[in-house]
């Protein structure tokens, strides 16, 4: 693919991955999560490959022409965009966040699947669910540490749980996942780590999303226009613009999705508070990205959101999907922020028009998500939480 060639030429050989890059790459496996390895991280992937994966995941999944209408932001009398104002207020809150010596992220991933009950009634579950916790010192030599654990598969909503209980509350679910059957259970595992002590590299730390060091992150501009020119402008000259240019030539409708994912990667790293605020403002002003008001994220938290233009996705059975589940649906990327703090809560892919494998689901159904259970700064080495992120149904 030309997009992949563009990335390889622009970035050269990939650097070793950081935890946030691995996590970001995993989130980009659109409806086709990778098979899980027995221990530790599902795969290791470099900076250039993360960018390529983003382009490829978006380009492969988007078929068809045109863009469905996107719901607009709520408007007050006089035409004031309340959704956009709420996002800008969240950006102002983000400027006031504290900093520290260690950056940590606690991310929860989930993929939605439709299960048929014994009676034939469909219900949705969250499967392929994983929690990933990692910390990194902001300076080289401070170390880094990563953990992950499998989370229980579970019915998505109270309505889904009611159908599941009527079906006998099965403890495992066999579903079609991309190009193979997968079985997910209602059991959780303990935290795993392939490394001990100071992590993958005792001299590590200080390298974050998109291959940027802590110093480079500190030196990023705080102005929204300058940040957009560096990371979001497909007509720019930065190394990040080259990826957008390749995507713009072949799949211009995918640009808003790519920009949301780029900002997610940057907000996953220890960017300074004013830079974080600038990134939110920059993304809010991008064409094809809309403030949509208040929403609820997959962990039940309320926030204000940005959404990309919806895009059609066609499942034509080439990966083995049953004929009854084939067809076209539309979906969009949604980025949710805590209105009180400006913190990133989740990136999720949300159904906007029913069809294909989601013909029984209503718009707003979350196809998959990357939720930030927590992220921030600590003056000491952070520890992963003991409790699970979701209550049992």
């Amino acid at each position: 693919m030309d997009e992949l060639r563009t990335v390889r030429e622009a970035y050269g050989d990939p650097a070793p991955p950081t935890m946030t890059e691995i996590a970001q790459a995993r989130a980009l496996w659109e409806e086709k999560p990778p098979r899980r390895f027995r221990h530790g991280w599902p795969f290791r992937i470099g900076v250039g490959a993360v960018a390529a994966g983003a382009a490829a995941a978006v380009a492969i999944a988007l078929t068809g022409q045109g863009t469905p209408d996107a719901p607009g932001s709520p408007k007050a009398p006089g035409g004031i965009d309340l959704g956009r104002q709420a996002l800008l207020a969240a950006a102002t809150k983000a400027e006031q966040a504290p900093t520290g010596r260690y950056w940590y992220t606690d991310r929860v991933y989930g993929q939605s699947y439709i299960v048929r009950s014994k009676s034939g009634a469909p219900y949705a579950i969250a499967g392929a669910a994983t929690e990933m916790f990692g910390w990194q010192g902001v300076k080289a030599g401070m170390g880094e540490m990563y953990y992950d654990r499998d989370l229980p598969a579970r019915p998505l909503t109270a309505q889904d749980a009611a159908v599941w209980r009527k079906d006998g509350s099965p403890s495992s679910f066999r579903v079609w996942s991309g190009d193979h059957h997968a079985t997910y259970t209602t059991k959780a595992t303990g935290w795993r780590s392939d490394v001990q002590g100071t992590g993958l590299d005792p001299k590590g730390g200080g390298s974050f999303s998109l291959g940027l060091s802590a110093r480079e992150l500190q030196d990023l501009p705080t102005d929204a226009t300058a940040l957009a020119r560096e990371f979001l402008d497909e007509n720019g000259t930065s190394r990040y613009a080259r990826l957008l240019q390749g995507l713009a030539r072949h799949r211009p409708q995918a640009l808003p999705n790519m920009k949301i994912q780029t900002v997610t990667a940057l907000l996953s790293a220890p960017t300074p508070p004013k830079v974080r605020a600038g990134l939110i403002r920059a993304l809010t002003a991008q064409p094809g990205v809309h403030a949509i008001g208040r929403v609820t994220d997959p962990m039940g938290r309320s926030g204000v959101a940005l959404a990309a233009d919806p895009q059609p996705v066609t499942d034509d059975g080439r990966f083995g999907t049953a004929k009854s589940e084939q067809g076209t649906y539309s979906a969009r990327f949604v980025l949710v922020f805590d209105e009180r703090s400006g913190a990133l809560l989740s990136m999720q892919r949300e159904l906007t028009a029913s069809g294909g494998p989601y013909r029984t689901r209503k718009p707003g159904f979350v196809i998959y998500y990357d939720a930030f259970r927590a992220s921030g700064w600590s003056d000491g080495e952070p520890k992963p939480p003991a409790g699970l992120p979701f209550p049992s149904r």
Side-chain angles (χ1 to χ4, degrees):
M1 293 178 64
D2 288 343
E3 293 97 329
L4 301 184
R5 203 159 33 244
T6 299
V7 171
R8 292 190 184 106
E9 291 170 356
Y11 287 84
D13 292 332
T18 67
M19 181 263 189
T20 47
E21 285 155 4
I22 295 169
Q24 182 70 5
R26 179 173 181 147
L28 299 179
W29 284 78
E30 180 135 5
E31 282 96 56
K32 297 180 181 64
R35 293 177 177 86
R36 182 175 290 121
F37 282 59
R38 187 166 65 90
H39 296 295
W41 304 97
F43 46 75
R44 304 223 178 274
I45 191 165
V47 176
V50 168
V58 171
I60 290 171
L62 300 179
T63 59
Q65 300 296 322
T67 300
D69 292 336
S73 300
K75 297 288 180 68
I80 297 173
D81 189 330
L82 297 180
R84 188 171 185 274
Q85 292 302 314
L87 259 302
L88 296 177
T92 299
K93 294 289 187 181
E95 288 182 322
Q96 303 165 15
T99 59
R101 299 178 66 237
Y102 296 90
W103 174 259
Y104 69 92
T105 55
D106 184 1
R107 300 173 79 155
V108 177
Y109 301 87
Q111 170 77 35
S112 297
Y113 298 96
I114 308 301
V115 178
R116 293 281 175 183
S117 67
K118 294 175 183 177
S119 67
Y123 63 95
I125 67 163
T130 301
E131 185 172 10
M132 299 173 72
F133 184 93
W135 61 258
Q136 297 161 297
V138 294
K139 295 181 180 179
M142 290 179 65
E144 52 193 11
M145 193 68 187
Y146 313 116
Y147 307 83
D148 76 325
R149 63 178 173 181
D150 298 339
L151 299 176
R154 61 190 184 89
L156 265 184
T157 67
Q159 292 80 6
D160 293 317
V163 178
W164 170 70
R165 284 191 291 268
K166 185 178 286 189
D167 201 32
S169 303
S171 59
S172 66
F173 310 92
R174 190 170 186 262
V175 297
W176 184 255
S177 179
D179 60 355
H180 66 287
H181 280 103
T183 298
Y184 301 110
T185 74
T186 55
K187 295 182 179 179
T189 66
W191 285 108
R192 300 172 297 225
S193 180
D194 283 347
V195 291
Q196 301 295 324
T198 54
L200 289 174
D201 180 359
K203 298 181 180 179
S207 179
F208 300 92
S209 289
L210 305 183
L212 295 171
S213 69
R215 173 47 38 194
E216 289 172 317
L217 291 170
Q218 291 293 319
D219 291 341
L220 287 176
T222 59
D223 176 69
T225 301
L227 286 165
R229 189 182 305 118
E230 177 73 12
F231 296 105
L232 305 176
D233 184 2
E234 62 270 26
N235 299 311
T237 57
S238 72
R239 58 175 171 157
Y240 307 103
R242 299 178 196 177
L243 173 62
L244 295 175
Q245 288 161 8
L247 197 57
R249 286 196 298 272
H250 301 284
R251 299 286 184 185
Q253 69 269 35
L255 280 171
N257 291 337
M258 187 68 218
K259 292 175 181 180
I260 280 181
Q261 292 170 85
T262 298
V263 169
T264 299
L266 289 166
L267 294 178
S268 303
T271 43
K274 289 186 177 181
V275 175
R276 302 177 78 80
L279 286 166
I280 298 172
R281 293 173 183 133
L283 186 61
T284 301
Q286 289 298 304
V289 177
H290 312 277
I292 59 171
R294 290 180 178 83
V295 302
T296 300
D297 85 339
M299 297 186 70
R301 301 170 298 187
S302 177
V304 291
L306 288 169
D309 284 335
Q311 298 296 327
V313 182
T314 297
D315 188 334
D316 58 8
R318 73 180 68 182
F319 296 108
T321 305
K323 191 171 182 62
S324 61
E325 302 297 322
Q326 295 173 24
T328 299
Y329 61 93
S330 290
R332 64 182 180 181
F333 278 106
V334 177
L335 209 56
V336 186
F337 296 90
D338 188 325
E339 191 172 1
R340 298 164 300 176
S341 67
L344 176 60
L345 295 180
S346 71
M347 181 182 75
Q348 56 207 50
R349 189 151 175 78
E350 178 183 281
L351 188 71
T352 57
S354 304
Y358 308 113
R359 65 181 75 250
T360 64
R361 299 287 109 179
K362 295 179 180 180
F365 174 75
V366 175
I367 297 170
Y368 69 78
Y369 62 86
D370 172 6
F372 290 76
R373 184 180 182 184
S375 64
W377 294 95
S378 173
D379 285 329
E381 294 181 3
K383 302 295 182 184
L388 296 176
F390 298 105
S392 58
R393 291 203 180 274

